[in-house]
Amino acid sequence: MTSVEEPARPGERIRDAARTRAEILDVATQEFARAGYDGARVDEIAARTRTTKRMIYYYFGGKEQLFTAVLERAYGVIREAEQQLDVDHLDPVAAIRRLAELTFDHHEQHPDFIRLVSIENIHEAHHIAASEKLGKIGSPALDVIRRILASGQESGLFTADVDAVDLHAMISSFCFFRVSNRHTFGALFGRDLLDRTQCAHYRAMLGDMVIAYLTAERTTD
């Protein structure tokens, strides 16, 4: 009997590499969200994974590329959720409310995503602008919004002539603020925007605001 271990098969090596990359990205996401881009250390990420700093550089190339990969995966998660959203069977009012709720739920469930986006804004979207993958990802939500807006306007339910990007910004801004400004808002006004007992209230409020905007009576000069 030989004492030499049987070499891993190609399929096993691929699975191991994918597993290692995923583990690195998991820990890197936490570290970048906690310490920011400048404060995060590859040594710390390596220490918290079953790999080495050398292997992190092998898989990703460096700290900057690792942060970009973290952003790509974080944006990919919400884009995938948007692509899977099925609202074609709903009327325009219910459909736009469902889309707003999807964004609301995702932002609440992924606070690290909010921190990563805040960090990237501090760096003026340097990594996103340099990422070919993120440059092409766009937002499937925009296509969904355009279809809903067209249907709502055709049926007469929506009175506003709204740009899809503007509406996307309106929905995202409320969802983002609620998570990103939780602590400062709480310190200033004594109210926790992430209070679990108020989640349904804020979720409904977002939908109400969007629908009120889209269905408001318009005056002409």
Side-chain angles (χ1 to χ4, degrees):
M1 179 182 293
T2 178
S3 61
V4 178
E5 294 183 2
E6 182 181 348
R9 297 171 182 173
E12 292 173 344
R13 288 198 296 269
I14 292 172
R15 286 193 295 272
D16 287 343
R19 197 160 42 236
T20 300
R21 284 178 58 90
E23 182 184 10
I24 293 169
L25 286 172
D26 287 342
V27 174
T29 294
Q30 298 168 9
E31 182 64 13
F32 282 122
R34 181 192 68 81
Y37 177 78
D38 293 327
R41 295 289 178 265
V42 177
D43 285 328
E44 177 65 19
I45 295 169
R48 293 175 53 197
T49 60
R50 293 172 296 176
T51 187
T52 63
K53 183 177 180 180
R54 180 180 177 182
M55 286 303 295
I56 291 176
Y57 285 138
Y58 171 78
Y59 281 118
F60 296 98
K63 179 180 177 180
E64 185 168 358
Q65 294 93 327
L66 176 59
F67 183 64
T68 299
V70 165
L71 287 172
E72 289 172 346
R73 190 176 71 157
Y75 274 100
V77 170
I78 189 168
R79 296 301 175 251
E80 182 178 357
E82 291 167 352
Q83 287 176 323
Q84 293 177 354
L85 182 66
D86 180 15
V87 294
D88 291 339
H89 63 290
L90 299 176
D91 68 81
V93 170
I96 207 68
R97 184 183 288 274
R98 181 68 193 92
L99 178 66
E101 290 171 347
L102 170 71
T103 306
F104 182 96
D105 293 342
H106 183 274
H107 282 44
E108 179 171 75
Q109 294 163 9
H110 297 83
D112 280 354
F113 172 71
I114 305 300
R115 288 190 282 270
L116 290 170
V117 174
S118 297
I119 292 163
E120 180 63 354
N121 272 286
I122 291 173
H123 291 272
E124 301 181 346
H126 168 76
H127 304 88
I128 289 178
S131 168
E132 183 175 339
K133 184 175 181 179
L134 284 171
K136 294 178 179 178
I137 199 170
S139 175
L142 292 180
D143 293 331
V144 177
I145 290 174
R146 290 187 183 103
R147 292 201 306 270
I148 298 172
L149 288 176
S151 176
Q153 289 164 353
E154 183 179 348
S155 65
L157 290 170
F158 295 163
T159 57
D161 183 14
V162 179
D163 176 72
V165 176
D166 287 345
L167 188 60
H168 183 64
M170 179 181 179
I171 293 170
S172 297
S173 60
F174 179 86
C175 300
F176 196 95
F177 178 93
R178 182 170 164 266
V179 180
S180 67
N181 289 41
R182 172 189 185 182
H183 299 294
T184 52
F185 194 89
L188 291 170
F189 301 106
R191 181 170 297 180
D192 183 1
L193 294 175
L194 295 187
D195 182 349
R196 296 303 305 164
T197 65
Q198 296 299 308
C199 178
H201 163 70
Y202 289 124
R203 198 169 185 260
M205 187 171 79
L206 170 63
D208 291 344
M209 288 191 300
V210 172
I211 292 167
Y213 175 61
L214 293 174
T215 60
E217 291 292 336
R218 292 297 191 270
T219 60
T220 58
D221 294 333

